Amino acid sequence: MDRMKGRVALITGAARGIGAATARRFVEEGALVLLTDLLDAEGEALARSLGANARYLHHDVTRAEDWARATETVTTAFGGLNVLVNNAGILAAQTPIEQTEESDFRRVMDVNVVSVFLGMKAAAPAMKASGPGAIINLSSVAGIIGTANTAAYTASKFAVRGLTKSLAMELAEFGIRVNSVHPGYVDTKMIADMIPAEHAEAFRSSASPLGRLARPIEIANMVLFLASEESSYATGSEFIVDGGFTCH
């Protein structure tokens, strides 16, 4: 229960879903964690439930000033920063390219890509000062394979994969490893809201060769592995957790 003992982490999009599961696992393994999100009631409740080793901060990941405040908060509260988990993200409507609004495309890129850039830029000085560390960027199977009618989302997730590789090379000399995690369909509210109720059961059973959706904890366990010293020689790589979805 001490795989993260003494390590300080910042997790975005941590109020629910994969982010919340990751926060729970990190605290269970001894980490000090700053949870950030826009869902204040849920985020604050989760932080309270996790005890003294967790705090919550309202955080718009598309704003550089919010990132500056988040890094200042975590370093002041916990004395440094060893792990950054860029988990916050949004889905996009499935539409053909000619029906995709420019404003929607830009919004997806802001939340899913610009936020990752801003996060790594803001966190890098504190992480360098804190010693060896890890950055885990949540991408998607949509960052591995292309699908029709998802131009914005797919472009954003491929971009996260590219940012990960670039920063892995840039930060290696400082002992900071950078990897991306690529989930398939996960049993979260975001996915539930995307699927019409009448198709939910069929969707779940066809979501992967395993015949089910992933549980958030299954993605969180991969993030935990990459944040811990158990993955000490892994950097610049993609870690796919999709139940075999990309085997098709």
Side-chain angles (χ1 to χ4, degrees), residues 4 44 56 79 143 214 217 223 236:
M4 295 284 286
E44 289 169 357
Y56 173 79
I217 188 65
V223 177

Side-chain angles (χ1 to χ4, degrees), residues 14-16 19-21 23-24 35 41-51 54:
R16 64 189 185 192
R24 291 189 189 96
L35 297 71
E42 293 173 72
E44 289 169 357
L46 177 59
R48 284 195 300 271
S49 75
L50 295 176

Side-chain angles (χ1 to χ4, degrees), residues 160-224:
V160 169
R161 182 179 171 191
L163 276 170
T164 297
K165 291 184 178 297
S166 180
L167 268 293
M169 297 182 70
E170 185 174 329
L171 298 177
E173 66 179 289
F174 303 100
I176 300 171
R177 299 177 295 104
V178 190
N179 292 288
S180 56
V181 173
H182 298 256
Y185 290 108
V186 184
D187 193 3
T188 62
K189 187 176 187 302
M190 183 182 292
I191 294 297
D193 290 345
M194 181 184 78
I195 307 302
E198 63 270 23
H199 301 309
E201 189 57 39
F203 175 81
R204 287 172 177 272
S205 62
S206 63
S208 74
L210 292 180
R212 63 175 178 85
L213 304 180
R215 298 184 297 274
I217 188 65
E218 292 175 306
I219 312 304
N221 282 335
M222 177 61 79
V223 177
L224 173 63

Side-chain angles (χ1 to χ4, degrees), residues 80-219:
L81 180 60
N82 308 107
V83 177
L84 171 64
V85 181
N86 281 308
N87 170 70
I90 58 173
L91 292 173
Q94 294 186 339
T95 56
I97 189 67
E98 65 269 22
Q99 296 174 19
T100 301
E101 297 292 339
E102 179 183 347
S103 59
D104 292 337
F105 188 93
R106 290 184 182 277
R107 174 62 177 164
V108 171
M109 297 302 285
D110 277 347
V111 177
N112 290 3
V113 183
V114 176
S115 71
V116 176
F117 157 73
L118 291 175
M120 293 192 291
K121 180 179 180 179
M127 294 186 70
K128 290 177 182 178
S130 297
I135 297 173
I136 301 94
N137 297 322
L138 271 292
S139 181
S140 166
V141 290
I144 301 293
I145 59 174
T147 55
N149 302 323
T150 62
Y153 187 73
T154 298
S156 75
K157 293 307 184 179
F158 266 87
V160 169
R161 182 179 171 191
L163 276 170
T164 297
K165 291 184 178 297
S166 180
L167 268 293
M169 297 182 70
E170 185 174 329
L171 298 177
E173 66 179 289
F174 303 100
I176 300 171
R177 299 177 295 104
V178 190
N179 292 288
S180 56
V181 173
H182 298 256
Y185 290 108
V186 184
D187 193 3
T188 62
K189 187 176 187 302
M190 183 182 292
I191 294 297
D193 290 345
M194 181 184 78
I195 307 302
E198 63 270 23
H199 301 309
E201 189 57 39
F203 175 81
R204 287 172 177 272
S205 62
S206 63
S208 74
L210 292 180
R212 63 175 178 85
L213 304 180
R215 298 184 297 274
I217 188 65
E218 292 175 306
I219 312 304

